[in-house]
Amino acid sequence: MEKARQCLELNQEESDSVARLAIHSYRVGATEFSFYEDFALRGIRVDRVEPGLVSCTFKVPPRLTDRNGNLANGAIANLVDEVGGAVVYVEGLPMKVSVDMSISFVSTAKVNDELEITGRVLGQRGGYSGTIVLMRNKATGEVIAEGRHSLFGRQPSKM
Amino acid sequence: MEKARQCLELNQEESDSVARLAIHSYRVGATEFSFYEDFALRGIRVDRVEPGLVSCTFKVPPRLTDRNGNLANGAIANLVDEVGGAVVYVEGLPMKVSVDMSISFVSTAKVNDELEITGRVLGQRGGYSGTIVLMRNKATGEVIAEGRHSLFGRQPSKM
Amino acid sequence: MEKARQCLELNQEESDSVARLAIHSYRVGATEFSFYEDFALRGIRVDRVEPGLVSCTFKVPPRLTDRNGNLANGAIANLVDEVGGAVVYVEGLPMKVSVDMSISFVSTAKVNDELEITGRVLGQRGGYSGTIVLMRNKATGEVIAEGRHSLFGRQPSKM
Amino acid sequence: MEKARQCLELNQEESDSVARLAIHSYRVGATEFSFYEDFALRGIRVDRVEPGLVSCTFKVPPRLTDRNGNLANGAIANLVDEVGGAVVYVEGLPMKVSVDMSISFVSTAKVNDELEITGRVLGQRGGYSGTIVLMRNKATGEVIAEGRHSLFGRQPSKM
């Protein structure tokens, strides 16, 4: 049990660094984004928008790196989720809820690496849309991750 | 282009709330966890460890909720990544790198919902391991998300 | 180009073995199953049905093995698709179309291995359902594959 | 239990149509392909091979259609598996075993629809490779399915 603790639970000092964050609970209408989204997306730049496509630049910030100094998988997943959602939003499709996401982590990105993140609409079937998000190192062209992400619209989007 | 900007880029005030975080770049050997992992895992409790299984409790904190007040998809992905990694670590398998992750987001979790997160080893083939992570609402038993996550060991783990 | 040909295209003799199959095009109302489904499912036995669960036995037939003598990945995918669809059908959910499928191939099955294939409903959100299908070697308990498979109901099911 | 039976088990007539197939068990060295692969791939044509890319044409045959007259999901999965494997084989990477596959079924293909199936290498990490396979309707350009498929090489490939 100690091994699992050591792998998942923080010590006091680690825990304190997060405890110092003052984050208020979600209040309806208070902000457009949540703190989590600010945390995950700050610094992203939308470069190009075409039908079915959104392309962004993002420089890996220290706050999103894991213990090996690489852009964390959870942060990659979040970018896939948000950029896939944005391309659907731009398309004006009545989509809202992510239901399935799959990601291949093909290589890694380090702090200050500049990434190109491109989201495309794959297709739709009724209220269901499929998108793909490709994340590359802008300097080398190397693929960091490819994600696919399906959204499903239960009710008209209010985004 | 405005729609995509509005969907992805933060305004000044939002951006400032994150800019105030003082996060240092990764330094080798400095800490066991990164700030990102502190941020994502703080509050998780390891309840049970058996061969091939790790079970945890996690209360949804405000810092991980999205604009709808739900546990963010990126945060779910991060928990799948970490709990799947922990079960492999406990097993002592020589695994290190997440290569594929797929998640079904079956329902949502709100702030203060208590979650049970269980990771299991599915099997292994050579240096490759498959794990599944199930996230349930502890009170109702409802499945929030099911993730599958494959790890691949290129070299002996230093975790 | 020769390597890709050799890997994908059949020679005359191989091609002939399939050409001898007399398969008629789909005709509405002609049969409940298509030849493909007969081919993929023949021999499956439904053992247990409970709310949200269908459990079957299937003995690996020679017709579904790949060039290494293992149950082919495509055949595994088809079983995941059909058993996941069956559990949704049994539940009476208005589901019809598979939209996302992800499979981890954890180990292999040989001709005559007896498999236990269990499908479960993970949850649903509006017209969307998630299922998981677990395929084990019945004798050893070893997991062969785990699949997740999402279905989406555009219109009332006529299955 | 009757509903699940009706959904998965064949009746006598259906069962007979498959029973008439004379398929011999796998014998080492007997053929390059198995009957299953003949069945799944017959008619595929390799059109283009470039570094990291294989592009094929495939006309949907009656034998691979489901009860709705569409190219069956299992058949799509098999094509993703084989074309992804071929691109890795052409690249000469020491890959052999499919470990993860995920597919989005974006639209459907009918008998005689001509498909363009393109496999690309996404990247590799040690003995691990990621590929993507895109299947489009050749006449309309519409995406039928997008698959991602990871292969892992335990030992030198003998393909």
Side-chain angles (χ1 to χ4, degrees), chain B residues 57-131:
Chain B
T57 298
F58 188 64
K59 201 169 169 182
V60 178
R63 71 180 186 277
L64 299 181
T65 54
D66 64 17
R67 69 193 83 175
N68 300 308
N70 298 323
L71 180 60
N73 291 336
I76 290 175
N78 203 65
L79 288 161
V80 166
D81 189 61
E82 296 283 354
V83 175
V87 67
V88 160
Y89 176 58
V90 165
E91 285 290 277
L93 302 176
M95 297 288 124
K96 221 174 117 204
V97 185
S98 292
V99 283
D100 276 293
M101 182 157 59
S102 81
I103 301 175
S104 289
F105 301 100
V106 179
S107 63
T108 55
K110 293 285 179 194
V111 166
N112 292 331
D113 280 357
E114 207 170 42
L115 309 179
E116 181 193 65
I117 309 173
T118 307
R120 284 172 205 278
V121 171
L122 250 186
Q124 55 175 143
R125 290 176 95 155
Y128 174 89
S129 278
T131 66

Side-chain angles (χ1 to χ4, degrees), chain B residues 108-109 113-116 135-144:
Chain B
T108 55
D113 280 357
E114 207 170 42
L115 309 179
E116 181 193 65
M135 186 182 292
R136 289 173 180 281
N137 183 310
K138 211 162 184 169
T140 65
E142 191 185 31
V143 175
I144 309 299

